Amino acid sequence: MTLTVLRFALLLLPVQLVFSADGILGFPPTDTPKERQWEDKGKELPDSTRIAGYLKHMSLKPHMAGTPASKAVAEYALGLEKEWGLDAHIEQYEALLPTPKTRVLEMVSPRVVRAKLVEPPVAEDPTSFDKDEVPPYNAYSGDGDVTAPLVYANHGMPSDYEYLTKHGIDVKGKIVLTRYGGGWRGLKPLLAQQHGAVGCLIYSDPKEDGYYRGDVYPQGMWRPADGVQRGSVMDMVQFPGDPLSPGWASEPGSKRLSLAAATTMMKIPVLPISYGDALPLLQELSGPVAPEDWRGALAVTYHIGNDSEKVHLEVEMDNSTHPLYDVIAKIPGSEFPDQWIIAGNHHDAWVHGASDPLSGASALLETARSLAELYKQGWRPKRTILIALWDGEEFGLIGSTEYVEKHAAELTQKLVAYINSDSNGKGQLGAGGSHSLETFVLELARDLNDPRSGKSLAEGLRVKSGMNNAATSAASQDKKVPAAEWHLQALGSGSDYTAFLQHLGIASLNFGFGDEDGTGGIYHSAYDSYYWFSRFGDPNFVYEKELSEVTELALLRLSGAPLLPFQFEHLARSVEQYVGEIRNLNKFDKRLDLTALESEVHDLEKTSSSFESAYTGALGKVDGAGEAQMADINERLYGIERHMLIAAGLPRRPWFRHGIYAPGALTGYEVKTLPGIREAVEAGQLEEAREQTRQVIEMLKSVDKDIQQTRTLLNNL
């Protein structure tokens, strides 16, 4: 699902934490040589040819969630994992997975033009001829048969409606034409609906992902004129998962809401179209000329419309329930079996899905095979490892959300961390996640090399975050390396980490290679195929192999570390920045007093700094500590993220409970930091901003107290 380019924040003040170029966070020096031996063996195991084979097999047929083909992909992965000797099974769920029955779009005035609404095959791409292709549509569209004036609303985001209102343009009773980009897809019809529109069209403009960016497919990687971006328009700002089972797992026979009671479904008809189908509509629009930043790259003057241009839109959905198949493989822990690490990627796709999601799923399968081979050679993880291939992600993170809701109590007690991946490709390593794992991630990047340049992946991370060359060049040297100003991207939503992080407060990471081009040109289209990926995505599958190695190394270290590699100074500095950002946008002058919040952040910084010293001192003592003592300390370490939850959840969307980062209510899956305070300030709601500030202060006090208690246990080892 994820199409966002990973971005990396810079803090104003550098973090002084250092890590050894030889050491491994969480391992005492006496354990490092043995761990390095297993890691070196593990790095030799992932194989690009095998990954290409998995990807080609799984992308051969369209395999949208809820179809027999999706079940076949799940069973293929299950068979591989069992063949490798893993304890694997399928967990089945059910969910509302709408499919289209009727799709009609035609201009009726001033001339008649009927949209094609199909993606024609490409001669060079054999799978594009598949007759089982899923037609372009938006899942969770409302039903409707409407004829109304057409109005162009740019990206269809709040600022766009502010412009229309300012210029006296009302969309009530009209069909809104929007283009992809600017925010979560599902917000476009939701905002249109809230403004009284009777229908919504979403098209891909070539300025974002067509010929404006480069040659179109098959000559290049970009979207051709008839390419369409499918996708869910579920209102995931409320909650992800099955719309008919909010807050509980949707399994065969479980209770379900009626369609009328489902709040995350659209009420108006919604349809995605190509820029080939959008062009005739835009050519006929008259009225005011759109402002410059609303104009795309089509050879037309972009007008907003004047009520004389009318279109007929008809959408009818089959709102049926279909099965979902999550594939779960297990490697048991030898010392702490009730402490778990999960790595996951989804396997369902809108069509063939070679890039999204099979580039990530295939790399994860190779990680599973590599760990299975290490197990045969005698390696044993201290903690239990689970490898998950989720179903239904494209519809709204459904397979992972239902799993989390079913196993919430057990996951809250046992899960140390969740590691996610999604689409993958050539380029630099992108990493997002919990700030308490930043040093851990930086060490992973330090110890793996880019397959093209041969340089440490840490250098790529530093380049992307704007760090200077002096700090960069130190990354691979035999000396202490400053963590400097690099920070993990805070996570909002958009992939399967959401339920783990935002709902349960599980420390989470998200990894993937890529560049700014990403998969924009064929994203969610019939052209996301093995042919496209082997030409443009990662032609030699070397970054596929590298992603497998990154995940493998992360699992080896998290499952094997005597002392879990959580650090909190980065967290404190990040929160300090987030508070500073809120102070800068504060609309209330001195009426919203942030003094107490800033004081609490300062206390957290002091506690975190002293914690690092206690942690370093404890590493030399863990070999002599008792198993029960270490289990208790580690449980406290991974439990600290749980204290970042707001018990009541975020205002008007209580399913999202993380107080430090969450998807923005007005941007969709894009991250908002300290979201309760920030969104109240942005909305000009003073009393709510005060209440959210109070809740965040209490949350940070709880985090601070828990770090202090853990520090005491470390000092007493």
Side-chain angles (χ1 to χ4, degrees):
M1 172 181 282
T2 305
L3 185 59
T4 54
V5 177
L6 290 180
R7 295 167 295 166
F8 299 87
L10 285 175
L11 296 195
L12 299 178
L13 296 175
V15 176
Q16 299 302 318
L17 180 66
V18 296
F19 61 87
S20 167
D22 287 330
I24 305 174
L25 188 66
F27 291 84
T30 54
D31 287 1
T32 297
K34 182 179 178 181
E35 180 64 20
R36 289 287 191 196
Q37 289 178 0
W38 285 118
E39 290 181 4
D40 290 343
K41 289 181 179 180
K43 290 176 186 178
E44 296 174 357
L45 293 172
D47 181 84
S48 296
T49 302
R50 287 179 180 270
I51 297 173
Y54 310 146
L55 194 154
K56 188 172 186 178
H57 181 95
M58 291 190 290
S59 65
L60 188 61
K61 301 289 291 182
H63 58 284
M64 185 177 72
T67 64
S70 184
K71 181 182 180 183
V73 168
E75 290 176 339
Y76 168 75
L78 178 69
L80 287 175
E81 291 174 336
K82 287 187 172 182
E83 177 186 319
W84 299 329
L86 296 172
D87 176 10
H89 69 282
I90 286 178
E91 285 198 19
Q92 184 172 331
Y93 297 93
E94 289 186 349
L96 174 66
L97 304 177
T99 54
K101 295 167 65 175
T102 303
R103 301 173 307 122
V104 175
L105 173 64
E106 55 190 350
M107 175 166 272
V108 297
S109 175
R111 66 186 177 105
V112 176
V113 181
R114 191 176 179 101
K116 299 185 290 292
L117 304 182
V118 296
E119 291 182 300
V122 170
E124 295 88 339
D125 187 343
T127 60
S128 68
F129 290 85
D130 199 304
K131 300 302 181 184
D132 295 327
E133 175 189 316
V134 178
Y137 80 106
N138 286 131
Y140 305 108
S141 163
D143 289 346
D145 185 350
V146 294
T147 299
L150 184 68
V151 58
Y152 174 59
N154 191 30
H155 293 300
M157 291 291 105
S159 61
D160 299 318
Y161 285 100
E162 290 173 6
Y163 178 89
L164 292 174
T165 300
K166 181 179 179 180
H167 289 81
I169 300 169
D170 190 356
V171 304
K172 186 175 182 180
K174 301 177 184 178
I175 295 171
V176 173
L177 174 63
T178 65
R179 57 177 172 148
Y180 275 113
W184 160 238
R185 173 193 316 111
L187 283 171
K188 300 174 188 292
L190 178 64
L191 289 167
Q193 178 178 293
Q194 290 173 348
H195 284 82
V198 295
C200 182
L201 304 172
I202 314 174
Y203 83 99
S204 301
D205 196 283
K207 189 170 187 179
E208 276 75 43
D209 64 357
Y211 55 74
Y212 184 84
R213 301 291 302 275
D215 290 330
V216 301
Y217 191 61
Q219 287 73 34
M221 68 179 291
W222 293 102
R223 194 179 303 274
D226 293 320
V228 184
Q229 181 188 145
R230 296 155 181 78
S232 171
V233 291
M234 176 194 292
D235 183 12
M236 287 200 298
V237 171
Q238 290 187 53
F239 57 85
D242 178 25
L244 304 184
S245 62
W248 68 89
S250 179
E251 299 179 278
S254 63
K255 66 176 181 177
R256 307 178 65 76
L257 300 178
S258 66
L259 282 174
T263 62
T264 58
M265 298 177 66
M266 295 300 112
K267 294 180 173 59
I268 62 173
V270 190
L271 196 64
I273 62 175
S274 66
Y275 58 83
D277 277 338
L279 179 58
L281 306 180
L282 288 164
Q283 284 174 329
E284 295 300 326
L285 283 181
S286 58
V289 174
E292 185 173 354
D293 60 355
W294 284 35
R295 302 170 198 168
L298 290 168
V300 62
T301 300
Y302 284 69
H303 290 269
I304 293 176
N306 73 352
D307 292 355
S308 63
E309 302 87 21
K310 294 184 179 180
V311 296
H312 169 223
L313 171 64
E314 183 180 358
V315 175
E316 183 183 6
M317 303 298 293
D318 178 354
N319 289 312
S320 298
T321 297
H322 297 275
L324 295 168
Y325 305 95
D326 289 348
V327 187
I328 312 293
K330 179 180 180 180
I331 303 175
S334 60
E335 295 183 20
F336 309 114
D338 288 335
Q339 294 181 1
W340 297 355
I341 320 292
I342 299 180
N345 199 105
H346 69 104
H347 67 76
D348 68 295
W350 280 115
V351 194
H352 299 280
S355 174
D356 182 11
L358 297 179
S359 57
S362 298
L364 184 59
L365 277 173
E366 186 64 356
T367 296
R369 188 194 69 84
S370 299
L371 292 176
E373 181 59 33
L374 282 181
Y375 197 87
K376 292 174 184 176
Q377 296 178 22
W379 164 78
R380 295 293 182 268
K382 289 181 172 64
R383 298 176 184 86
T384 297
I385 294 173
L386 301 177
I387 305 289
L389 289 173
W390 310 114
D391 201 355
E393 191 267 4
E394 295 294 3
F395 279 81
L397 319 180
I398 296 180
S400 57
T401 298
E402 302 309 310
Y403 177 87
V404 164
E405 290 178 341
K406 177 180 179 178
H407 299 284
E410 190 173 26
L411 292 170
T412 297
Q413 179 185 355
K414 297 179 179 180
L415 188 54
V416 171
Y418 174 72
I419 302 170
N420 190 70
S421 55
D422 204 310
S423 299
N424 191 53
K426 63 181 183 293
Q428 292 177 319
L429 175 63
S434 300
H435 296 304
S436 56
L437 290 170
E438 286 188 3
T439 302
F440 171 76
V441 171
L442 197 55
E443 288 192 354
L444 292 180
R446 174 202 65 190
D447 293 337
L448 291 169
N449 295 328
D450 184 278
R452 288 190 298 190
S453 69
K455 297 179 180 179
S456 165
L457 291 179
E459 296 195 30
L461 287 174
R462 286 183 162 89
V463 168
K464 292 187 84 170
S465 64
M467 292 171 63
N468 61 60
N469 290 333
T472 299
S473 63
S476 302
Q477 302 300 316
D478 186 16
K479 57 185 176 181
K480 286 185 177 277
V481 183
E485 295 179 353
W486 177 81
H487 289 272
L488 284 168
Q489 177 201 19
L491 295 176
S493 186
S495 196
D496 287 306
Y497 53 77
T498 302
F500 293 95
L501 178 65
Q502 305 292 354
H503 191 58
L504 293 189
I506 308 295
S508 299
L509 294 170
N510 188 61
F511 292 128
F513 288 88
D515 51 33
E516 291 185 358
D517 292 342
T519 61
I522 48 80
Y523 180 65
H524 287 187
S525 78
Y527 310 124
D528 182 1
S529 63
Y530 182 84
Y531 181 80
W532 182 93
F533 189 82
S534 61
R535 289 192 68 198
F536 304 110
D538 182 14
N540 297 315
F541 288 81
V542 293
Y543 286 96
E544 288 288 277
K545 178 177 181 290
E546 192 72 5
L547 178 59
S548 181
E549 291 181 7
V550 169
T551 308
E552 180 188 17
L553 189 60
L555 290 172
L556 286 172
R557 291 184 177 180
L558 283 170
S559 68
L563 189 60
L564 284 168
F566 288 94
Q567 307 278 275
F568 302 102
E569 196 168 20
H570 282 258
L571 168 67
R573 295 297 183 105
S574 297
V575 175
E576 179 185 42
Q577 182 197 9
Y578 302 153
V579 173
E581 291 169 356
I582 290 173
R583 177 171 288 283
N584 289 337
L585 61 85
N586 190 350
K587 296 181 177 181
F588 307 113
D589 300 321
K590 296 181 179 180
R591 288 177 292 161
L592 178 62
D593 188 357
L594 298 176
T595 304
L597 176 58
E598 291 171 331
S599 176
E600 189 56 46
V601 173
H602 180 65
D603 289 345
L604 181 62
E605 286 181 308
K606 291 191 296 183
T607 298
S608 299
S609 179
S610 62
F611 171 87
E612 313 300 357
S613 299
Y615 185 98
T616 302
L619 276 176
K621 306 175 186 177
V622 295
D623 287 341
E627 188 173 297
Q629 188 179 19
M630 291 307 303
D632 179 49
I633 290 174
N634 282 316
E635 186 174 341
R636 286 176 176 272
L637 279 170
Y638 68 76
I640 288 173
E641 189 90 21
R642 316 289 200 269
H643 290 270
M644 300 178 202
L645 297 179
I646 302 292
L650 298 181
R652 293 166 294 282
R653 44 189 181 133
W655 188 92
F656 290 94
R657 300 192 292 163
H658 209 292
I660 295 179
Y661 17 68
L666 296 180
T667 57
Y669 52 71
E670 294 288 344
V671 69
K672 287 282 190 177
T673 54
L674 298 182
I677 307 174
R678 185 183 295 265
E679 291 179 348
V681 170
E682 290 172 339
Q685 297 171 339
L686 177 59
E687 291 307 314
E688 184 171 290
R690 286 172 173 163
E691 173 58 22
Q692 292 300 309
T693 301
R694 185 194 66 78
Q695 291 190 29
V696 170
I697 290 171
E698 292 304 310
M699 176 198 73
L700 293 176
K701 286 182 182 293
S702 179
V703 171
D704 188 277
K705 180 180 178 181
D706 210 36
I707 295 174
Q708 288 184 42
Q709 291 175 343
T710 309
R711 178 191 62 197
T712 299
L713 292 177
L714 292 172
N715 284 329
N716 291 336
L717 267 182

